Amino acid sequence: MSEHNDVCIKKTEYSKDRSKAEKPIKIMDLTLRDGHQSLFATRGRTEDMIPVAEMMDEVGFWATETWGGATFDTMHRFLNEDPWERIRTLKRYFKKTPFSMLLRAQNLVGYRNYADDLAKAFVERAVANGMDVFRTFDALNDYRNFETVVPVIKESGTHFQGCICYTLTEPRLGGKVYNIDYFVKKAKELDAMGADSICLKDMAGLMAPYDAYNIITAIKKEVSAPIHLHTHFTSGMASMTHLKAIEAGVDILDTCMAPYAYRTSHPAIEPLVMSLLGTNKDTGFDIKLLAGINEVLEKEILPKYRHLLDDTKVSIIDINVLLHQTPGGMLSNLVNQLREMDALDKLDEVYAELPRVRKDLGQIPLVTPTSQIVGIQTVNNVLFDDENERYKMITGQVKDLCYGLYGKTAVPINPEVQKKALKGYPKGEVPITCRPAEVLEPELSKAKEETKGLAVDIDDEVLYAMFPVTGKKFLKWKYGKEEAPETVKARSLDQALSEQKLIAKVRAGKIVDKPEKDKPEKSESARKFKVFVDDDYFDIGVEEIGGSPVVSYIQQPQMPRPQNSIMPPAAAPAPAPPAPVAAAAPAPAAAPAEADGTRLKAPMPGMIIEYTKKIGDSIEKGDIAVLLEAMKMENALPAPVSGKIIAINYKSGDSVAKDDILCVIG
Ligand code: CO
C-alpha cells in the first residue's frame, strides 16, 4: 500500500482559519508527561497543569499525554499527590482532547512484571478514571507481555497503541540484531494483535533521519495501522528525524510546548507548525494560541521548576548518546549514582563495562526498567568486582531477568552469568521460557488484606500493590495518619521568584559570605519574627534571658541549594532528598550501632525495603539480611558472618546513606 508522500507547498500566507490540509500531520503533545519527566525529573504538579489545560484543549492535538511512565511513582513518592486524581482533575479542563498514557505493558507503571490480576485491575481503573489512549510497550519487545493488558484495552473501547522500542548496538541502524527486518517484524506482530496505531519509541534519541525514513517506508509497506514516531531530542537529531519521517509518510508525531522541549525532551511544536504551514501536511494549529500557552508556562509555571533543570552544561545536546547508544537519562542516572558513592572517577570504567553487561544480559533495549537494570548492574560490577570474580553483587532484578521474569531477550543471556545469578534463586535455578506472568501468583487479594483499615477504594489498593513501601507511606499521608514531610510539599511562585532574586544578587556580588560568629544555641522556645529591610527579609528569633528579651539570632532565608546537589533532570533515584528534619531519621541511639558485633553497612545509598530477620533471630553467613533499594533496583545484602541479630537500626521505607550501619550481628 505504498502512497505518494511528497510534501508540497500550496500557499504561504498565515491565517488561523486556513483551510484544512489534505493530509495533516497529527500531533500528540507530551508536555504534561514526558516533557516534565525528561526535563524536571517528573516533578510537575497537577496544579501547574491546570492554568494551560483549557487553552491546550483548543489546539487540536490528536491526543495529549498526561499520565503513566514515571508519573505514578513520582507523584505518590515525591509530590504527595494521588496519581488517579490527576486524570480526573485534568479531565474537567480537557473536554475534547483524548488523554494518552504510557503503559509499560505487564510492568504497568512500575519496574517488574506484575501478576495478571493486578495488571487487569490497573488497566480497568485507568479506563474508569478517564484514560483514552494506551501507548503500550515492553522493555524487551516481548509481546507476550501484552497478552493480559491488550484485551482489557480493546474491550474497553479505548485506543491500543503498540510500541516498538527502538534500540541499536551499532552507531546506526543495522547489525545482527536491530536491523530493518527486526523492526518490520515487530510492526507486523503488533498489527496482528490489533494495534490501533503503531509507535516507534525512540527513548534515547538514537534514530537518525535517514534510518527513520527507511524504517517507516518499510513498515508502511507491510501494515495499515497509522505510524506514530516518538523520538527524544537528546542527541540533537530529532527535528531532522521528524522531517524525514514526514517524508516517509508518518501519521503522528510527538512534540512538546517550547518551554518543555529540546534537551532530553522532544522537539517543540511551534517550529514544526511553521515548517509545515501551507503544505499538504499542515497541522492547522494556531501559532498565536501556542504562543499564549507558552507565555503562561514561561511566566507562571516554569520558575517553580527551573532549579531542577540540569544547567551544568552549556550544550543542549548530549553527544554521549551518539558515542554509547544509551539513553541520556540513563547516563545521568549513572553519573548521579557514582557521585553519591564517591566514585565519579570510575565513569570511564562504567562506559566500558556497560556494553559488556548489556551483551551478557541478552542485548536488551535500554528503556525503563531495563535501562536501570543494566545501568545499576554495571555500576555494581565496576565498584565491587575484582580480578578473581565478576558479577559479585547481582541485583534482584538481574536475577529476575535471568530467570525469564521480564520475558525473552533479543539474544540469549550469557549462560555463565545466568547460572551465577540463579544460584539459590527462590523460584528455581532453571529459567522459564513461558510468558512471565504465568508463574506469578495473584497479588491483589494480598494487597487488599495488607491495606485493611488504610485503603479506602480499589485505586488505593492497586497503588499499594504496585508500590508497597512508598505506597503505604503515601496512603498514610493521604488519610492524615501521618504528616507528610516538608520535602513533598509544593513550592509557590513567590518562593521560587524570591529564590531567583537571591541567586541574581549572589551572581552580582551583592551578597558575600559573612565571617562565622560564635552564637549561643538556639532554643526551641525562641519566638520567630519576620523582619523586612528594603528587598531583604530576615528571620529573627527572640529569646528571653533572665527576664528581658534579647535578640538571639538573625538569619537570612535559606539559600538555594548549590547546583551540584540537585538531581539531574532524568534522574529519579530511589532515595528522596535527605529530609531536613533530622528527627525523621531513625535514631540508632539505643545502643545498636555501638554494640559489639559485626556491622552490616550499606554498600550504597538507598531505601530499606525490608529486613529478613528480627532482633534475636539467628542468621547464617551469606544469607540475605537486608533488601536495599538503590536507583529502584533491589540489592540483597548478605550477612557477613553467622550469628544473632543484635541490632537493627532502620525500618522499611527509611533512606540510608552509603556506609550507614544497617544491622549488627553478634
Ligand atoms: Co519518551
Side-chain angles (χ1 to χ4, degrees):
M1 69 199 61
S2 86
E3 53 188 296
H4 195 63
N5 284 309
D6 287 353
V7 181
C8 47
I9 299 173
K10 303 282 182 179
K11 54 180 178 188
T12 50
E13 79 272 25
Y14 173 78
S15 149
K16 93 177 164 58
D17 305 313
R18 60 198 184 273
S19 57
K20 199 167 181 275
E22 287 153 39
K23 215 170 174 273
I25 288 289
K26 297 185 181 79
I27 303 290
M28 179 152 99
D29 176 83
L30 307 183
T31 306
L32 305 183
R33 203 284 300 179
D34 210 347
H36 69 99
Q37 178 167 331
S38 297
L39 298 185
F40 308 115
T42 332
R43 296 302 199 270
R45 287 178 183 271
T46 308
E47 64 185 55
D48 293 326
M49 301 175 181
I50 292 170
V52 289
E54 280 167 332
M55 280 193 279
M56 287 182 75
D57 196 29
E58 294 300 322
V59 173
F61 294 121
W62 176 77
T64 175
E65 194 188 41
T66 49
W67 211 64
T71 60
F72 198 98
D73 184 356
T74 313
M75 287 177 73
H76 84 273
R77 195 191 283 247
F78 297 120
L79 307 179
N80 189 19
E81 271 196 58
D82 187 335
W84 303 105
E85 183 54 45
R86 174 170 294 174
I87 317 177
R88 298 192 294 265
T89 301
L90 290 179
K91 270 274 159 172
R92 294 203 290 274
Y93 298 89
F94 282 92
K95 302 231 157 62
K96 309 185 258 207
T97 315
F99 278 6
S100 180
M101 76 163 286
L102 182 64
L103 179 69
R104 298 168 183 154
Q106 196 90 21
N107 289 329
L108 305 177
V109 285
Y111 310 97
R112 64 174 175 88
N113 274 333
Y114 296 99
D116 286 336
D117 65 332
L118 181 55
K120 276 191 194 129
F122 177 83
V123 177
E124 281 164 8
R125 293 311 305 157
V127 172
N129 278 288
M131 203 41 62
D132 304 293
V133 177
F134 287 83
R135 166 173 282 180
T136 311
F137 79 94
D138 176 67
L140 304 189
N141 286 330
D142 181 349
Y143 297 139
R144 294 175 307 168
N145 289 326
F146 280 26
E147 285 174 16
T148 300
V149 293
V150 166
V152 186
I153 300 168
K154 291 298 261 182
E155 277 157 32
S156 73
T158 52
H159 183 110
F160 160 46
Q161 177 168 91
C163 290
I164 310 168
C165 295
Y166 186 76
T167 189
L168 298 173
T169 55
E170 322 273 321
R172 287 278 298 271
L173 178 68
K176 281 197 191 110
V177 189
Y178 299 109
N179 47 40
I180 211 156
D181 293 341
Y182 174 89
F183 293 104
V184 171
K185 182 173 155 266
K186 289 290 160 190
K188 283 163 122 177
E189 283 178 41
L190 291 173
D191 201 35
M193 292 186 90
D196 297 303
S197 57
I198 292 173
C199 174
L200 282 163
K201 178 177 160 54
D202 174 24
M203 49 281 167
L206 298 174
M207 195 182 286
Y210 289 102
D211 291 340
Y213 185 89
N214 291 337
I215 289 184
I216 292 168
T217 305
I219 292 177
K220 278 258 161 199
K221 280 187 187 139
E222 300 287 342
V223 304
S224 54
I227 305 300
H228 193 150
L229 176 64
H230 176 87
T231 180
H232 282 257
F233 188 77
T234 322
S235 68
M237 294 191 287
S239 299
M240 296 183 276
T241 302
H242 271 182
L243 222 47
K244 290 309 291 181
I246 290 170
E247 290 175 15
V250 78
D251 299 275
I252 316 164
L253 289 175
D254 279 348
T255 62
C256 284
M257 298 302 303
Y260 285 76
Y262 303 112
R263 300 182 185 266
T264 51
S265 182
H266 298 264
I269 179 58
E270 300 82 356
L272 188 67
V273 170
M274 201 48 78
S275 302
L276 296 176
L277 183 78
T279 69
N280 54 336
K281 308 247 175 173
D282 193 335
T283 58
F285 291 177
D286 176 3
I287 196 94
K288 291 196 178 120
L289 173 59
L290 296 172
I293 298 167
N294 281 343
E295 170 122 346
V296 177
L297 291 174
E298 275 287 353
K299 290 195 178 146
E300 295 172 27
I301 311 296
L302 280 170
K304 297 191 207 175
Y305 297 96
R306 221 195 160 108
H307 65 294
L308 294 168
L309 191 69
D310 180 15
D311 60 359
T312 50
K313 277 195 339 180
V314 174
S315 168
I316 66 160
I317 65 163
D318 183 355
I319 57 164
N320 272 312
V321 177
L322 303 174
L323 295 173
H324 304 287
Q325 287 80 53
T326 43
M330 174 178 176
L331 293 175
S332 58
N333 272 342
L334 290 179
V335 169
N336 211 36
Q337 176 78 347
L338 287 174
R339 185 185 291 132
E340 283 187 35
M341 298 175 76
D342 290 327
L344 256 187
D345 55 313
K346 298 252 166 50
L347 188 59
D348 283 338
E349 285 174 58
V350 166
Y351 282 145
E353 177 72 1
L354 191 70
R356 289 199 286 266
V357 172
R358 186 181 174 204
K359 195 164 179 223
D360 285 340
L361 297 181
Q363 213 65 278
I364 48 184
L366 300 174
V367 58
T368 303
T370 47
S371 50
Q372 284 92 336
I373 294 175
V374 173
I376 301 309
Q377 190 57 53
T378 300
V379 171
N380 281 3
N381 284 6
V382 166
L383 294 183
F384 305 119
D385 287 1
D386 53 39
E387 60 275 18
N388 302 319
E389 194 184 351
R390 292 211 356 108
Y391 289 91
K392 260 191 166 174
M393 171 138 11
I394 300 181
T395 66
Q397 280 72 13
V398 166
K399 292 177 186 176
D400 293 344
L401 178 76
C402 287
Y403 185 66
L405 277 189
Y406 284 91
K408 191 169 183 282
T409 52
V411 301
I413 294 174
N414 176 341
E416 265 173 59
V417 174
Q418 192 166 30
K419 198 168 164 221
K420 175 154 197 195
L422 293 181
K423 192 160 180 289
Y425 185 75
K427 287 189 160 69
E429 298 193 350
V430 182
I432 55 167
T433 54
C434 60
R435 183 179 73 91
E438 269 167 39
V439 301
L440 300 176
E441 296 293 328
E443 301 185 53
L444 210 46
S445 56
K446 186 167 155 263
K448 281 178 200 265
E449 197 54 45
E450 287 170 0
T451 50
K452 270 211 176 112
L454 183 59
V456 166
D457 56 22
I458 175 80
D459 289 349
D460 288 343
E461 290 162 355
V462 169
L463 183 147
Y464 170 85
M466 285 187 288
F467 297 96
V469 179
T470 53
K472 190 173 213 168
K473 254 198 228 177
F474 167 75
L475 291 177
K476 284 182 182 163
W477 301 338
K478 180 179 170 184
Y479 295 113
K481 301 205 166 164
E482 244 172 47
E483 220 207 310
E486 283 298 315
T487 47
V488 301
K489 291 183 182 158
R491 276 154 72 81
S492 71
L493 185 61
D494 283 350
Q495 246 173 334
L497 291 177
S498 67
E499 202 175 279
Q500 271 177 26
K501 252 186 176 171
L502 208 59
I503 294 173
K505 276 192 179 175
V506 173
R507 287 207 175 119
K510 287 187 183 160
I511 293 176
V512 288
D513 270 349
K514 290 176 199 141
E516 295 262 339
K517 271 185 281 185
D518 279 346
K519 62 180 180 195
E521 282 287 297
K522 172 177 122 188
S523 90
E524 290 296 310
S525 60
R527 293 180 64 197
K528 289 176 186 162
F529 296 88
K530 281 180 183 168
V531 175
F532 296 85
V533 181
D534 294 333
D535 282 352
D536 288 321
Y537 91 85
F538 300 85
D539 287 339
I540 310 233
V542 179
E543 206 174 309
E544 275 188 313
I545 298 175
S548 55
V550 295
V551 174
S552 71
Y553 71 95
I554 298 180
Q555 115 191 43
Q556 274 198 297
Q558 210 191 355
M559 292 287 291
R561 288 189 295 164
Q563 275 302 326
N564 66 4
S565 76
I566 287 166
M567 277 182 261
V581 194
E594 300 309 321
D596 283 340
T598 306
R599 296 152 176 203
L600 174 59
K601 289 183 183 177
M604 58 196 74
M607 183 185 75
I608 303 285
I609 301 174
E610 62 170 354
Y611 287 88
T612 58
K613 304 280 178 191
K614 298 186 295 295
I615 289 181
D617 286 353
S618 312
I619 189 162
E620 292 293 311
K621 180 181 175 191
D623 282 358
I624 305 310
V626 185
L627 285 176
L628 180 71
E629 185 195 81
M631 307 290 281
K632 308 214 169 87
M633 295 298 110
E634 271 177 31
N635 295 275
L637 307 181
V641 291
S642 299
K644 264 203 170 73
I645 306 277
I646 54 174
I648 286 180
N649 293 348
Y650 298 91
K651 60 180 190 322
S652 175
D654 285 343
S655 293
V656 295
K658 180 175 187 283
D659 289 335
D660 278 350
I661 297 161
L662 305 181
C663 63
V664 184
I665 300 164

